[in-house]
């Protein structure tokens, strides 16, 4: 979005009907729904005796991170070092980097970040990484806090539970400038299981592995004060196990089609609302029962199903990708959308969709009330 378009939108903030002036395609955040989602997760964790350390990979926004912390969050998780750097630059002081940092350049940046904020933690899943981080921290002369990343079935990162994980923890514990704080485990392969009973059974089995590893570390006299993990799909399951000390949910603040589908199959209350949308405009309507919008492949993450229309289109209309820059709207017989019509759609997958935009256009009903920058957009390294 051009600077001039953003300036024009800023001039309309607070005016009645100003939502319609947002330059499209745009990422739109319903402020009321967002704030209810933040408050509901904070209360859920409080009632269950859990901390909440939400994942900033979902929103990539310092403003949103600060809102979560103001509601009681311990800090944030960041999937990538670049995200953590952006959060720290914005004043976030407690950050867990949830992916291993292993390259020489990455470790150099990690050492620099460790001097800038009071509470930085990183995960390790490999003895080689322990040795390189031990050497770097020794040279820097500054302690780095560490969690062992445990693989409970996803196999993306993490070390398998049992002897290998225990030996890794012992290696960390023996390093002069590495401070073992506990464990991390993320069962991402379970988050989108639609059947609640199946999701519950498998999530609790993952928690059992995590709890057993925690008990081993504690029995050997090693610190395991932090047990971090879980997610939006298991937020109301994991507390049953009484293993986690902090929950890493991220998508609950926005909800997308994938998690809305999970909510439909949920056996208990799933209180989070859709708050994030892509707003688009009709740019062509010359063909019967068809309209073309200005939001195509470049406006949505395409790793999931097509977006679901939320507002502005007649019942029975559907979205399809019509090119890099355009989206198509199939209309019921006889229906027509005038040029300039404003539509919104639910994102198929919120995290990578957010990464396509520079700003959130924050709305209350028909008013644009603020514009929040997405500082960590594109921070993939």
């Amino acid at each position: 979005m051009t600077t001039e378009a953003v300036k024009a939108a800023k001039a309309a903030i607070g005016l009645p009907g100003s939502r319609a002036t947002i330059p499209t395609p745009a990422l739109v955040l319903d402020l009321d729904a967002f704030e209810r989602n933040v408050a509901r997760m904070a209360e859920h964790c409080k009632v269950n005796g859990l901390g909440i350390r939400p994942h900033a990979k979902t929103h990539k926004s310092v403003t949103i991170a600060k809102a979560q912390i103001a509601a009681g969050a311990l800090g944030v998780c960041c999937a990538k070092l670049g995200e953590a750097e952006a959060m720290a630059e914005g004043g976030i002081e407690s950050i867990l980097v949830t992916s291993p940092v292993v390259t020489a350049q990455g470790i150099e940046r990690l050492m620099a970040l460790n001097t800038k904020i009071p509470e930085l933690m990183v995960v390790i899943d490999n003895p080689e990484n322990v040795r390189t981080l031990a050497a770097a921290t020794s040279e820097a002369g500054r302690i780095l806090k560490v969690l062992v990343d445990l693989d409970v079935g996803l196999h993306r990162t993490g070390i398998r539970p049992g002897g290998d994980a225990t030996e890794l923890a012992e290696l960390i514990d023996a390093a002069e400038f590495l401070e073992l704080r506990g464990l991390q485990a993320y069962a991402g392969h379970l988050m989108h299981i639609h059947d609640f009973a199946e999701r519950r059974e498998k999530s609790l089995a993952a928690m059992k592995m995590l709890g057993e590893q925690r008990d081993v570390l504690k029995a050997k006299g090693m610190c395991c004060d932090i047990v971090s993990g879980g997610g939006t799909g298991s937020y109301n399951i994991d507390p049953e196990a009484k293993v986690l000390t902090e929950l890493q949910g991220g998508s609950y603040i926005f909800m997308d089609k994938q998690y809305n589908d999970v909510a439909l199959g949920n056996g208990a209350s799933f209180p989070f609302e859709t708050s994030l949308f892509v707003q688009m405009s009709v740019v062509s309507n010359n063909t019967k029962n068809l309209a073309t919008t200005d939001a195509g492949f470049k406006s949505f993450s395409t790793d999931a199903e097509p977006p679901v229309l939320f507002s502005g289109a007649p019942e029975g209309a559907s979205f399809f990708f019509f090119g890099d820059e355009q989206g198509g709207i199939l209309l019921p017989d006889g229906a027509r959308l005038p040029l300039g019509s404003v539509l919104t759609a639910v994102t198929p997958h919120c995290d990578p969709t957010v990464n396509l935009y520079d700003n959130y256009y924050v709305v209350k009903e028909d008013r644009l009330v603020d514009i929040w920058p997405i500082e960590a957009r594109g921070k993939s390294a």
Side-chain angles (χ1 to χ4, degrees):
M1 197 68 65
T2 67
T3 302
E4 292 306 314
V6 175
K7 283 182 180 178
K10 285 182 176 178
I13 287 175
L15 297 177
S18 52
R19 177 171 180 165
T21 70
I22 294 172
T24 57
L27 198 61
V28 172
L29 182 63
D30 181 321
L31 184 60
D32 291 333
F34 163 78
E35 289 180 339
R36 286 192 292 268
N37 288 344
V38 170
R40 285 166 182 164
M41 182 62 91
E43 179 63 20
H44 167 76
C45 288
K46 181 179 178 182
V47 167
N48 285 281
L50 279 174
I52 172 72
R53 185 181 294 276
H55 232 302
K57 72 182 178 71
T58 298
H59 56 73
K60 297 179 176 286
S61 161
V62 170
T63 303
I64 290 178
K66 288 181 176 178
Q68 292 173 313
I69 291 169
L74 301 169
V76 298
C77 294
C78 291
K80 291 297 185 78
L81 189 54
E83 292 176 356
E85 290 166 334
M87 292 294 115
E89 183 68 25
I92 306 303
E93 297 186 333
S94 181
I95 300 172
L96 167 62
V97 180
T98 60
S99 302
V101 179
V102 302
T103 66
Q105 183 190 62
I107 290 171
E108 183 179 351
R109 289 163 57 197
L110 185 67
M111 295 303 102
L113 185 60
N114 198 34
T115 67
K116 293 178 180 177
I117 60 174
E119 185 68 21
L120 176 67
M121 295 185 290
V122 66
V123 302
I124 295 179
D125 72 357
N126 190 290
E128 182 180 346
N129 196 205
V130 176
R131 289 186 282 271
T132 54
L133 286 178
T137 52
S138 179
E139 182 178 348
R142 185 175 176 87
I143 288 173
L144 176 66
K145 299 177 178 69
V146 172
L147 303 182
V148 171
D149 187 17
L150 202 67
D151 180 8
V152 291
L154 179 59
H155 306 319
R156 186 168 63 195
T157 65
I159 191 167
R160 62 184 180 185
D164 290 345
T166 303
E167 289 175 10
L168 183 68
E170 289 172 335
L171 194 60
I172 295 167
D173 202 40
E176 182 180 5
F177 287 94
L178 297 180
E179 181 181 333
L180 179 65
R181 296 299 307 278
L183 296 167
Q184 170 189 273
Y186 177 56
H189 57 303
L190 308 179
M191 292 297 147
H192 293 99
I193 295 175
H194 287 194
D195 181 75
F196 178 76
E198 181 185 358
R199 190 165 75 252
R200 178 178 178 274
E201 178 184 0
K202 291 182 177 180
S203 293
L204 290 177
M207 286 293 107
K208 184 173 184 292
M209 287 189 279
L210 181 58
E212 288 172 348
Q213 189 65 58
R214 172 204 61 191
D215 293 344
V216 169
L217 298 193
K218 287 188 172 183
K220 288 181 170 289
M222 287 183 280
C223 178
C224 200
D225 293 339
I226 296 173
V227 183
S228 187
T232 297
S234 60
Y235 89 99
N236 59 345
I237 298 168
D238 295 335
E240 287 184 51
K242 300 190 183 304
V243 171
L244 294 179
T245 64
E246 57 181 50
L247 185 70
Q248 290 187 5
S251 298
Y252 72 93
I253 58 170
F254 294 152
M255 299 298 287
D256 53 25
K257 183 184 184 299
Q258 291 180 329
Y259 269 119
N260 285 336
D261 288 347
V262 170
L264 288 174
N266 207 57
S269 174
F270 208 92
F272 309 116
E273 308 168 51
T274 304
S275 68
L276 186 73
F277 306 90
V278 170
Q279 184 164 306
M280 60 191 117
S281 303
V282 172
V283 296
S284 184
N285 61 1
N286 293 328
T287 301
K288 182 181 178 181
N289 300 333
L290 179 66
T292 300
T293 74
D294 53 9
F297 283 116
K298 292 180 180 179
S299 300
F300 297 93
S301 164
T302 57
D303 64 322
E305 301 87 345
V308 175
L309 293 172
F310 184 81
S311 68
E315 186 176 351
S318 61
F319 178 98
F320 67 95
F321 288 110
F322 218 5
D324 290 348
E325 313 292 349
Q326 288 84 30
I329 310 296
L330 289 174
L331 297 165
D333 278 343
R336 188 172 182 274
L337 287 172
L339 292 179
S341 295
V342 175
L343 293 78
T344 63
V346 179
T347 62
H349 186 182
C350 56
D351 300 25
T353 298
V354 166
N355 199 46
L356 300 172
Y357 293 87
D358 292 322
N359 301 289
Y360 295 101
Y361 288 85
V362 185
V363 301
K364 280 194 170 191
E365 297 179 348
D366 73 336
R367 293 181 188 235
L368 173 67
V369 297
D370 211 345
I371 300 173
W372 295 347
I374 303 174
E375 293 91 345
R377 178 195 176 183
K379 304 295 186 182
S380 58

